[in-house]
Structure formats: structure tokens, C-alpha cells
């Protein structure tokens, strides 16, 4: 069921509810598969019986329909992948967060000037007391990484040291890694809490085309954050193979913050001025 909090200008919608809002914004008839979602929106007073959207919700609808900047975030962890993001429209900025295994997302209005804080919170960015590793850069291939994850999924022991030895042996055979990179990479995979990819897109002021910037970061718990420098984002379909270079760079929290900030376009890059 959809829901809303008028005091904080936040909404909880599933894809079908957004589909209804899209139909209404474009002046199209709500399709039969979205009738139930429309009734749910009417039941809580977000749209009238005549399919008129309340003014408060119209700000979010406008931003979704005609975004100036789109932020897409994919977080992957033990419960699978979850989608989050943000949208900046002409009159409002919203951040949205999903929940593992749930179809609905919560949309919360925020100010563009605080968007970096909001995005950092979405990906769980926080200070870590990670000590500098023996090596700050680990380079291998996509194929070796895939082999490492397969080995982890097939580990038949709960003993951490035994699991590390099994994983280390696979990585050594598959990729020819040697110490200290081999040991560091082994423990990075063992300590991996999850990873997240953040992509920002907007229409370029000069050419009218779409500009895209992105980063992928691995959260390795006590071993800190590691930026996936190669393959670089954004990744185009068909450009990555098992032989493609895979490079991780140890990145301290303040630098991750800067990287998030640098993803967002400057006012001079946007077709419509937006206060930040």
C-alpha cells in the first residue's frame, strides 16, 4: 500500500503507483493493470476521484516526469541488490530509498544543497578506523574476481582461517597474484559487506545530449572503502569481459565523500539553473 507523511513531505510508492502518476501527468488513460494502484492512491487521498493529484504530490510528479538531474544507486549485499537514487526537478529535489526484497521506495524531499549528505547516508558512508593496507592498489582481472566469488559460495567451512586459505589458493591459481596483493585481496573479499554503484545523468547545456558520471565502491568493513577504478564507470554494454582489468584502490572516507560530490554537475553544466 502507498502511504505519505505530509509533515515531512515524504511518500512511499511502488512501481505501479509511479506508473499511475506518469499516466496522469501525460494526460493518458490509466491502463487496466494500474487500476488497483490508482484506487490505492485515491483511498489515501493523494489523487481525487477525478484523477487530480494533490498539490503537494504534484512537486514529486513534476520532478519525476521532467528531471534535471537523475541519480541512480545500486547497493548489493547479502540480501541482493536494492535500488535507490535521487531526482532534481525544476521546483523540488527528492531522494528515494528502497528496501531489500520490497517493491516500494520511500521518497523524501530534500534541499539540493544537502544532496551530498543524503546520498552519503543512502550508501551508508561513515568514518572507519581502517588502517592503511600493505598495498593500496590491487590489480587483477574480472575473471579472477568471479572465480573468487564462486570459491566463497562453495566454501565448506565456518573457520575463517580455513576459508581464507581456500580462497587464497583459488586466487593464486586463477590470477597469478603474489603477496602482498594476494593476501590483501583475499581478505578484501572475505570482509566484503557489499558494494554500491552511483550514477548521475543530466542533459548537457552545450550539445543537448546526456552526460553521465559514476563510481563503484566496495565496502570491506574493517578494511575500509575501495574504489573500483577499473573498469571505470559508466560501463557500456559489451565492454567488459573476463580478461578486463579489475583495479581496486584503497580510498579513505573523506575522499569517497569528495567523489560523490564530484559526480553532481555544476550549475554551468545544466540546461536550467538549479540552486545547490
Amino acid at each position: 500500500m502507498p502511504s505519505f507523511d505530509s509533515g515531512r513531505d515524504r511518500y512511499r510508492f511502488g512501481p505501479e503507483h509511479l506508473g499511475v502518476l506518469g499516466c496522469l501527468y501525460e494526460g493518458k488513460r490509466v491502463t487496466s493493470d494500474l487500476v488497483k494502484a490508482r484506487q490505492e492512491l485515491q483511498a489515501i487521498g493523494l489523487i481525487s476521484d477525478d484523477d487530480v493529484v494533490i498539490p503537494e504530490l504534484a512537486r514529486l510528479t513534476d520532478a519525476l516526469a521532467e528531471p534535471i538531474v537523475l541519480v541512480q544507486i545500486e547497493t548489493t549485499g547479502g540480501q541482493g541488490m536494492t535500488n535507490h537514487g535521487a531526482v532534481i526537478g525544476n521546483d523540488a529535489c527528492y531522494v528515494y530509498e528502497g528496501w531489500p526484497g520490497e517493491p516500494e521506495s520511500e521518497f523524501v524531499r530534500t534541499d539540493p544543497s544537502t544532496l551530498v549528505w543524503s546520498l552519503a547516508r543512502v550508501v551508508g558512508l561513515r568514518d572507519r578506523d581502517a588502517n592503511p593496507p600493505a598495498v593500496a592498489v590491487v590489480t587483477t582481472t574480472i575473471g579472477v574476481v568471479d572465480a573468487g566469488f564462486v570459491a566463497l559460495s562453495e566454501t565448506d567451512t565456518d573457520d575463517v582461517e580455513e576459508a581464507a586459505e581456500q580462497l587464497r589458493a583459488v586466487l593464486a591459481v586463477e590470477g597469478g597474484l603474489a603477496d602482498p596483493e594476494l593476501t590483501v585481496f583475499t581478505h578484501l573479499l572475505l570482509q566484503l559487506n557489499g558494494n554500491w554503484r552511483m550514477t548521475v545523468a543530466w542533459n548537457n547545456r552545450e550539445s543537448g545530449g546526456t552526460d553521465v558520471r559514476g563510481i563503484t565502491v566496495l565496502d570491506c568493513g574493517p578494511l575500509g572503502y575501495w574504489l573500483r577504478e577499473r573498469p571505470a564507470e559508466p560501463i557500456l554494454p559489451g565492454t567488459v569481459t573476463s580478461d578486463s582489468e579489475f583495479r581496486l584502490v584503497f580510498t579513505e572516507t573523506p575522499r569517497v565523500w569528495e567523489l560523490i560530490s564530484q559526480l553532481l554537475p555544476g550549475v554551468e553544466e545544466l540546461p536550467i539553473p538549479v540552486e545547490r
Side-chain angles (χ1 to χ4, degrees), residues 88 111-114 116 261-262 264-267 269-270 274-276:
I88 301 177
D111 191 273
S113 64
T114 64
V116 174
S261 177
Q262 291 168 3
L264 299 173
V267 174
E269 299 178 85
L270 298 172
V274 175
E275 293 184 4
R276 295 183 60 181

Side-chain angles (χ1 to χ4, degrees), residues 3 5 8 10-13 85 95-99 104-108 121:
S3 58
D5 177 357
R8 292 184 56 194
R10 60 177 180 167
Y11 306 85
R12 187 176 175 88
F13 294 136
V95 173
Y96 64 91
E97 294 184 61
W99 191 264
E104 296 179 339
S105 297
E106 183 181 75
F107 293 78
V108 181
R121 183 186 57 80

